[in-house]
Amino acid sequence: MSDRPVNYVGAGPGDPELLTLKALRLIQSADVILYDNLVNRQILDYARRDAEQVYVGKKWRAPSTRQEAINELMRDEALAGKAVVRLKGGDPFIFGRGGEEVEVLIEAGIDVIAVPGITAASGSASYAGIPLTYREVSLSVRFVTGHRAENRINLDWP
């Protein structure tokens, strides 16, 4: 069992100035940062110089770190007493495998602090000046993944 939680941090849509203050504080105090392909590398400049930075990104059609290896690394570093930040692009709980990774930590008796980031869907719309909801025009927003689980479409649109 670990005395330290793993800090699960959303890095937002890429602009380092859109990090939350909590995200910034945790990044600055981390011993180990595991980061994804979608994280803007400028965000890593906020880390301590002695912090270990481990790229565990996933990129379509490119070699990537196996999910099991990411889970094991997070768990092992936390159990070793290190301050761990799992840094994910956008919001880690919107298409980011956040739920899967957190489950592994909880099963190992490791607490998790989740720090949401701005998801790319809302962030990019805001940057472009496009409201996702607009009274009398659009009353809801739906997030649908373009990634197919087990290479099959499993959306029941009706």
Side-chain angles (χ1 to χ4, degrees):
M1 188 153 211
S2 174
D3 293 337
R4 290 186 142 165
V6 167
N7 300 294
Y8 213 80
V9 177
D15 185 341
E17 292 183 341
L18 293 177
L19 288 172
T20 65
L21 292 174
K22 187 169 191 171
L24 179 62
R25 181 178 55 79
L26 292 171
I27 291 166
Q28 290 175 331
S29 63
D31 297 319
V32 180
I33 300 172
L34 288 79
Y35 67 97
D36 276 356
N37 185 58
L38 295 177
V39 172
N40 182 334
R41 301 307 185 270
Q42 291 176 337
I43 291 172
L44 297 171
D45 291 341
Y46 294 131
R48 293 188 343 238
R49 296 297 161 232
D50 64 333
E52 183 180 359
Q53 297 178 11
V54 182
Y55 175 75
V56 294
K58 298 198 177 284
K59 191 172 182 180
W60 191 58
R61 293 192 178 183
S64 61
T65 307
R66 289 181 11 265
Q67 188 61 53
E68 296 78 18
I70 296 169
N71 297 345
E72 291 169 11
L73 185 56
M74 278 190 304
R75 182 195 64 219
D76 294 348
E77 295 288 7
L79 291 174
K82 295 182 182 175
V84 178
V85 165
R86 176 66 167 108
L87 189 59
K88 310 257 314 163
D91 184 305
F93 294 110
I94 298 183
F95 306 129
R97 296 189 184 180
E100 298 170 38
E101 294 181 2
V102 167
E103 275 182 356
V104 170
L105 297 169
I106 291 171
E107 287 172 6
I110 300 167
D111 289 332
V112 176
I113 294 174
V115 181
I118 298 169
T119 186
S122 61
S124 59
S126 292
Y127 267 144
I130 301 168
L132 292 179
T133 58
Y134 192 42
R135 190 169 49 167
E136 308 284 332
V137 176
S138 58
L139 303 177
S140 67
V141 175
R142 182 173 294 174
F143 296 107
V144 180
T145 183
H147 177 73
R148 296 182 290 180
E150 299 175 11
N151 205 24
R152 62 183 162 82
I153 297 174
N154 54 357
L155 299 171
D156 184 8
W157 286 108

